[in-house]
Amino acid sequence: MANVILVFASMTGNTEEMAQLIGKGVEETGVNLTIRELPAAEPKELEDFDGIILGSYTYGDGELADEFLDYYEEMDGLNLNGKIAAVFGSGDTAYDQFCVAVNILSDKLTELGATIIQDGLKIELAPDDEEICVSFGREFGEKLKEVLALK
């Protein structure tokens, strides 16, 4: 059975709500899911999972969440070749850079060898439509199972 880790950082609870809804969608596909909220996660454990989902709010004018900074730096040197990944985040369009943390984390995962299998999910503040997040998780779980079946 496929194993997925979902690691997220949340300051106001918006990204945490997204993480829980995405996790619900992943679990609906029968995939094993582990959820970790930063700082209670170690980057090295990403190598132990088939699928990786990272989530972060965007802080200020396009910065990665403070809780993600050390984790992000400690990801350097990981081998994520063959890993399937996706990224989500919350942001505020009042800032010039909307949900840039999603792009930052997607680029890092790609740099480390992971394959991003769906567009990043970017939500303004909190999810108004919960189904968008649940569907994101469900889509990830289904695509992961398809990829693993081809191996």
Side-chain angles (χ1 to χ4, degrees):
M1 183 177 286
N3 292 300
V4 172
I5 186 166
L6 189 158
V7 177
F8 73 96
S10 185
M11 180 169 43
T12 62
N14 294 337
T15 311
E16 180 176 13
E17 182 180 354
M18 291 178 70
Q20 296 303 322
L21 292 167
I22 290 167
K24 177 182 174 186
V26 170
E27 289 177 328
E28 286 178 5
T29 67
V31 171
N32 288 329
L33 176 67
T34 300
I35 297 180
R36 301 254 196 274
E37 182 173 5
L38 292 172
E42 293 295 327
K44 183 75 175 147
E45 70 185 330
L46 295 178
E47 295 179 333
D48 299 331
F49 290 84
D50 304 305
I52 300 164
I53 304 174
L54 300 181
S56 177
Y57 62 91
T58 298
Y59 184 75
D61 290 318
E63 299 158 25
L64 196 57
D66 284 345
E67 298 89 342
F68 239 113
L69 294 177
D70 289 341
Y71 189 91
Y72 179 87
E73 289 177 11
E74 292 171 15
M75 289 173 69
D76 288 339
L78 293 179
N79 178 2
L80 301 183
N81 290 326
K83 307 297 180 186
I84 304 305
V87 181
F88 68 94
S90 61
D92 188 341
T93 54
Y95 293 97
D96 290 337
Q97 301 290 322
F98 177 67
C99 284
V100 173
V102 172
N103 303 2
I104 293 169
L105 293 173
S106 294
D107 290 347
K108 176 63 89 172
L109 288 166
T110 301
E111 171 189 319
L112 298 173
T115 301
I116 305 293
I117 60 170
Q118 65 197 85
D119 291 338
L121 178 62
K122 298 178 178 183
I123 299 284
E124 170 82 13
L125 302 175
D128 290 332
D129 182 355
E130 294 182 355
E131 184 56 30
I132 290 172
C133 295
V134 174
S135 293
F136 183 85
R138 194 180 304 120
E139 181 181 341
F140 183 84
E142 292 298 338
K143 285 183 177 180
L144 175 63
K145 291 188 329 185
E146 288 173 18
V147 169
L148 293 177
L150 295 175
K151 289 186 175 185

